[in-house]
Amino acid sequence: MALLRLLALSLLFAVATPVRDIAHDACSSEVKDFQHLNNSSGLHLTLHHPQSPCSPAPLPADLPFSAVLAHDGARIASLAARLAKTPSSRPTLLDESRAGSSSSSPDDESLASVPLGPGTSVGVGNYVTRMGLGTPAKSYVMVVDTGSSLTWLQCSPCVVSCHRQSGPVFNPKASSSYASVSCSAQQCSDLTTATLNPASCSTSNVCIYQASYGDSSFSVGYLSKDTVSFGSTSVPNFYYGCGQDNEGLFGQSAGLIGLARNKLSLLYQLAPSMGYSFSYCLPTSSSSSSGYLSIGSYNPGQYSYTPMASSSLDDSLYFIKMTGIKVAGKPLSVSSSAYSSLPTIIDSGTVITRLPTGVYSALSKAVAGAMKGTPRASAFSILDTCFQGQAARLRVPEVTMAFAGGAALKLAARNLLVDVDSATTCLAFAPARSAAIIGNTQQQTFSVVYDVKNSKIGFAAAGCS
């Protein structure tokens, strides 16, 4: 566990300006007038890079990038296990025979060993925002994850364990609108698909959830409902997990907001009033830049779209079809079938994009050829196409990723290369094993919309900085 605590700091994504160098008044908690937002409707939240000095839970910026890669690898491995439906185990469950009452958190728990299904590693590249909960509402820093369904946060009295978080832990007893959920409720049965783990039941009929993640992080607690709020918008009877045993790599966040395709996700619970779509722009880690998370309506004419692809592997994840990549205007020397040799997922929490092996090899060769005048550097962990210098100071070729339906991502240097230390930058791609994944390095500064109702995903350039 000591190792887990140390690597929790791998929320960091790249070398950035230390927190002390940024004046606090340079940061804004308000969503700016981003060009792709529909400011007349919808719910708009400020989104921060996990390493940004303006994050509500900022972290130091001097950790090795190797730690980031290690936990990015854990996320990839967990997604692979999830697609293969490979179970895992973790000795952490609130004992069903000693759970508390249906109206408050218990005071006496023990642990039992139970099988836990594969989840998705969080905490490496996940972005953060704020969520209000309870009556009266209190604000909590939450990581945002398109690969998870159940929203949960730490709750007092933290009977077993709570990790360190920014601000106070949520106290259910202080909220007049809080209620635990009974084992007979449909939402309790829905936990199996939301968390990939079966629900448990206390002797007092309280539903117990188990959310496990690929890096051995987990949250176990009581399925609950309360009023959730974002600014002036409040929604009653929101179902979430009230965590009593929360351990692992969540940084200083209070918990996690799930945006996957599942009836218990935040998206689906807010959809009746907001609509079945959400969009975001993931900002870079530099300076005081921020992005946004928007739930509800958007400006449809500003995006290029690709259909959401159906997959029997996991119907909660977002699959799309990649059709090609060009480097300096020239298609890669691979067959069109190479792009579809593996399923492709778009994910907000993966840092390094994974490509089918043949496609990756061709991309590496093409980029290296286009940058042949730039001194090469040694490989850095899984990143084998590296150069001397920093991405922002190098001349790089234009790289375009194309998707079914005509959607495309035209990558700038910041989307193509990642600085692994002060003197080295590497191609921010790696070969995939079981699934291709479009990670957040390539998505940064683009507006990305997930129109679940119309089963399509859209991209628009220059969404944020």
Side-chain angles (χ1 to χ4, degrees):
M1 185 57 68
L3 178 61
L4 290 178
R5 299 296 186 194
L6 174 63
L7 293 180
L9 297 175
S10 66
L11 270 161
L12 303 183
F13 171 54
V15 176
T17 307
V19 173
R20 61 179 178 272
D21 290 343
I22 301 296
H24 183 71
D25 56 9
C27 304
S28 173
S29 61
E30 301 297 324
V31 175
K32 294 182 283 186
D33 188 22
F34 295 106
Q35 62 172 321
H36 301 130
L37 282 180
N38 184 348
N39 292 311
S40 63
S41 62
L43 180 65
H44 311 312
L45 312 175
T46 301
L47 200 60
H48 296 278
H49 189 284
Q51 196 186 1
S52 168
C54 292
S55 167
L59 298 172
D62 57 354
L63 297 182
F65 194 73
S66 57
V68 176
L69 291 179
H71 285 283
D72 203 44
R75 185 176 181 92
I76 297 299
S78 67
L79 282 169
R82 182 168 161 183
L83 296 178
K85 297 177 172 58
T86 303
S88 59
S89 62
R90 177 74 190 181
T92 171
L93 173 65
L94 299 177
D95 185 13
E96 298 172 6
S97 65
R98 306 182 70 180
S101 69
S102 60
S103 60
S104 64
S105 298
D107 296 319
D108 187 17
E109 260 74 33
S110 62
L111 297 178
S113 181
V114 295
L116 299 182
T120 303
S121 172
V122 297
V124 174
N126 294 76
Y127 285 69
V128 296
T129 190
R130 285 189 176 273
M131 180 184 82
L133 189 68
T135 306
K138 303 292 184 181
S139 180
Y140 301 93
V141 179
M142 306 285 283
V143 299
V144 175
D145 188 14
T146 59
S148 298
S149 296
L150 181 69
T151 296
W152 62 264
L153 82 169
Q154 302 192 117
C155 291
S156 65
C158 294
V159 173
V160 181
S161 176
C162 277
H163 61 263
R164 181 183 178 184
Q165 73 173 58
S166 175
V169 173
F170 176 69
N171 181 4
K173 294 182 179 180
S175 173
S176 61
S177 50
Y178 173 84
S180 59
V181 176
S182 71
C183 300
S184 60
Q186 179 60 47
Q187 290 78 9
C188 188
S189 299
D190 292 339
L191 283 173
T192 300
T193 58
T195 66
L196 305 181
N197 295 305
S200 302
C201 191
S202 73
T203 55
S204 52
N205 199 37
V206 179
C207 183
I208 300 173
Y209 77 90
Q210 311 160 55
S212 56
Y213 302 93
D215 53 13
S216 298
S217 302
F218 60 86
S219 176
V220 179
Y222 299 94
L223 187 61
S224 308
K225 63 178 180 179
D226 207 332
T227 297
V228 65
S229 58
F230 300 94
S232 60
T233 302
S234 297
V235 179
N237 298 318
F238 175 72
Y239 290 87
Y240 66 98
C242 200
Q244 296 296 327
D245 187 7
N246 317 282
E247 301 180 37
L249 311 175
F250 305 109
Q252 296 185 56
S253 66
L256 177 147
I257 292 175
L259 289 172
R261 302 170 72 177
N262 182 275
K263 62 180 66 177
L264 284 182
S265 74
L266 178 73
L267 169 66
Y268 275 63
Q269 290 194 62
L270 297 188
S273 58
M274 299 290 178
Y276 285 86
S277 67
F278 70 94
S279 60
Y280 58 63
C281 185
L282 306 179
T284 64
S285 62
S286 62
S287 187
S288 58
S289 59
S290 63
Y292 66 84
L293 169 65
S294 178
I295 299 176
S297 61
Y298 63 99
N299 294 322
Q302 300 181 1
Y303 293 84
S304 61
Y305 296 94
T306 185
M308 290 184 185
S310 59
S311 175
S312 60
L313 296 174
D314 189 321
D315 58 9
S316 69
L317 298 175
Y318 296 97
F319 290 86
I320 55 178
K321 291 184 178 180
M322 185 166 46
T323 57
I325 296 179
K326 291 182 179 180
V327 176
K330 297 181 179 180
L332 296 183
S333 299
V334 295
S335 66
S336 58
S337 61
Y339 295 98
S340 58
S341 60
L342 294 174
T344 300
I345 301 166
I346 182 169
D347 181 46
S348 67
T350 296
V351 176
I352 302 298
T353 285
R354 267 64 171 184
L355 298 174
T357 300
V359 176
Y360 171 74
S361 297
L363 175 65
S364 172
K365 182 178 180 180
V367 170
M371 297 179 65
K372 60 183 178 181
T374 303
R376 293 292 297 270
S378 299
F380 189 93
S381 183
I382 63 169
L383 306 180
D384 60 13
T385 308
C386 300
F387 306 89
Q388 296 178 27
Q390 298 281 278
R393 299 179 180 180
L394 298 180
R395 294 186 63 181
V396 303
E398 181 180 274
V399 175
T400 301
M401 304 178 70
F403 304 91
L409 290 174
K410 294 183 178 181
L411 308 181
R414 62 176 172 266
N415 306 116
L416 181 66
L417 303 175
V418 59
D419 297 334
V420 299
D421 57 37
S422 61
T424 308
T425 190
C426 299
L427 184 65
F429 293 81
R433 294 183 178 179
S434 58
I437 301 175
I438 309 302
N440 61 35
T441 300
Q442 284 64 43
Q443 297 178 58
Q444 284 183 4
T445 74
F446 288 89
S447 289
V448 183
V449 62
Y450 294 68
D451 188 335
V452 178
K453 180 180 179 180
N454 295 304
S455 193
K456 61 183 181 179
I457 289 177
F459 303 109
C464 60
S465 60

